[in-house]
């Protein structure tokens, strides 16, 4: 029996209030890692009308002028005038920063295995996971980004929407915006784009008819693949009819409230926590990158057309408590065999992840909008997007067939 279904995913621009908060949190992290690669950071940001609140637990040997940094990020994103509803020059910035809890710190600094004499005293064994939880990584061969098509297209539309604002192609646009793409699948294959939604903040004098015409011509048509639009999709541009009030004035923004935008668009589970504002000892972030790295290399090796990997940790413990590979029946060898291959070729201890993916350097604010996975648009490409272990996995899999 033919299986027909719709899948939707969304993205948002860097001017969306939640993404504004993410970028401030990751901006603080990058500033600390620049001067103190061993700094511990858990930075949360709230933005609302005329106000930025930055709070969290930070232990570092360097100084960061957080209010100045936050204001510069707000202005770089495009909130430079009070009429936009938020202005980097005039908004208040409040900080509330403590040090990392010593109870957490002792488990991160010295893993349970090291304390119990279960592992050598090499640095690679020293770090315990910064928290408990489960992380999920995914890849598929549906797009060049190795991402599901709905989220890949939603991100492309959001980036395009931001581009035409910044280059003045559509000079009346303002920083806030959202996109959403719904795709019809038949037996697991995308057959057509069903619905596209673009909501774009704009100058109050511009009529909805012009906005709709301009967005279709300059944003939607250049992005959507023609082979999936032979039957014209339903297109909704600013479906309320007006989007003048936007950004933090219209909606409070919080770090970590767009975690599905950050990953795979809801096609697979996200796992536990958010990414932004967390240093790489927090496995919410680092292990999510590592599972993506392993899953992408499995798919790139031709061992499966899609791959989901779940890993879980206990706080203060270096080795994961579980690791699972699920290819949804697409693997050329069993999921059990692939799980063994992942264990053999990828080291999921936190210190090993930090080493292998080079995570103790500033690189995170650039990921805080338009997704943390599939970022082949960035230069350099993030380490977890490399496919440098695909050939070794392919050869090892041949021995298990």
């Amino acid at each position: 029996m033919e299986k027909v279904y719709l899948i939707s995913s969304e993205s948002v621009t860097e001017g969306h209030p939640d993404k504004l908060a993410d970028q401030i949190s990751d901006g603080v992290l990058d500033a600390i890692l620049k001067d103190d690669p061993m700094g511990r950071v858990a930075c949360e940001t709230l933005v609302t009308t005329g106000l930025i609140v930055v709070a969290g637990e930070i232990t570092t040997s360097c100084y960061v002028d957080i209010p100045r940094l936050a204001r510069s990020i707000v202005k770089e994103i495009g909130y430079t005038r009070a009429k936009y509803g938020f202005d980097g020059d005039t908004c208040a910035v409040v900080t509330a920063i403590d040090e990392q809890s010593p109870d957490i710190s002792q488990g991160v600094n010295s893993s349970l295995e090291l304390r119990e004499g279960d592992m050598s005293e090499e640095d690679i064994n020293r770090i315990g996971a910064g928290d408990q939880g489960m992380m999920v990584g995914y890849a598929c061969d549906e797009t060049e980004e190795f991402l599901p098509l709905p989220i890949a297209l939603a991100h492309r539309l959001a980036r395009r929407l931001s581009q035409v604002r910044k280059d003045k192609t559509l000079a009346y646009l303002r920083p806030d915006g959202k996109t959403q793409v719904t795709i019809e699948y038949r037996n697991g294959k995308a057959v057509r784009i069903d619905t596209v939604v673009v909501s774009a903040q704009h100058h109050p004098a511009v009529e909805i008819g012009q906005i709709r015409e301009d967005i279709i011509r300059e944003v939607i048509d250049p992005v959507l693949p023609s082979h999936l639009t032979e039957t014209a999709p339903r297109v909704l541009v600013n479906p309320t009819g007006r989007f003048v009030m936007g950004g933090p004035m219209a909606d409070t923004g919080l770090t970590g409230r767009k975690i599905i935008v950050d990953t795979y668009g809801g096609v697979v589970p996200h796992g536990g926590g958010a990414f932004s504002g967390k240093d790489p000892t927090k496995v919410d972030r680092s292990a999510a990158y590592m599972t993506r790295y392993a899953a992408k290399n499995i798919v790139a090796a031709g061992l499966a057309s899609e791959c989901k990997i779940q890993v879980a940790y206990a706080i203060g413990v270096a080795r994961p408590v579980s690791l699972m590979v699920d290819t949804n029946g697409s693997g050329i060898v069993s999921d059990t065999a692939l799980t063994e291959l992942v264990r053999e070729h990828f080291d999921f201890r936190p210190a090993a992840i930090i080493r292998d993916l080079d995570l103790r350097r500033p690189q995170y604010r650039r990921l805080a909008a338009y997704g943390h996975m599939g970022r082949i648009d960035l230069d350099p490409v993030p380490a977890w997007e490399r496919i440098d272990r695909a050939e070794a996995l392919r050869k090892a899999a041949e021995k298990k067939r």
Side-chain angles (χ1 to χ4, degrees), residues 23 30 36 40 52 58 98 127 255 341 370:
Q23 289 167 91
D30 279 351
D36 180 14
R40 298 281 170 79
I52 301 170
I58 297 176
D98 288 316
I127 297 178
T255 298
L341 284 177
Y370 312 115

Side-chain angles (χ1 to χ4, degrees), residues 40-42 56-60 97-109 130 279 281-282:
R40 298 281 170 79
V41 181
E57 297 77 45
I58 297 176
T59 302
T60 180
I97 306 295
D98 288 316
E99 291 188 343
Q100 184 180 63
S101 160
D103 297 340
I104 295 173
S105 180
Q106 70 177 9
V108 176
N109 293 337
D279 76 79
T281 66
K282 279 73 169 175

Side-chain angles (χ1 to χ4, degrees), residues 72-89:
S72 69
I73 291 171
V74 169
K75 289 188 284 186
E76 285 175 26
I77 289 169
Y79 289 110
T80 57
R81 304 177 69 184
K83 64 173 61 178
Y84 293 173
F86 199 74
D87 177 10
D89 286 319

Side-chain angles (χ1 to χ4, degrees), residues 277-299:
K278 296 178 180 177
D279 76 79
T281 66
K282 279 73 169 175
V283 286
D284 283 339
R285 169 167 239 156
S286 54
Y289 293 162
M290 195 63 165
T291 52
R292 162 65 176 179
Y293 182 38
K296 185 173 181 179
N297 274 269
I298 285 174
V299 175

Side-chain angles (χ1 to χ4, degrees), residues 26 135-136 264 275-276 283-294 353 357 359 363-364 367 372-373 384-385:
D26 272 336
M135 299 82 217
V136 175
Y264 309 104
F275 302 155
S276 289
V283 286
D284 283 339
R285 169 167 239 156
S286 54
Y289 293 162
M290 195 63 165
T291 52
R292 162 65 176 179
Y293 182 38
I353 297 173
L357 299 183
L359 298 182
Q363 58 182 303
Y364 298 108
L367 301 165
H372 291 246
M373 314 303 176
W384 51 94
E385 294 301 323

Side-chain angles (χ1 to χ4, degrees), residues 353-361 363-364 383 386:
I353 297 173
I354 292 169
R355 174 199 65 196
D356 292 346
L357 299 183
D358 191 18
L359 298 182
R360 288 202 189 275
R361 62 182 181 85
Q363 58 182 303
Y364 298 108
R386 301 184 313 232

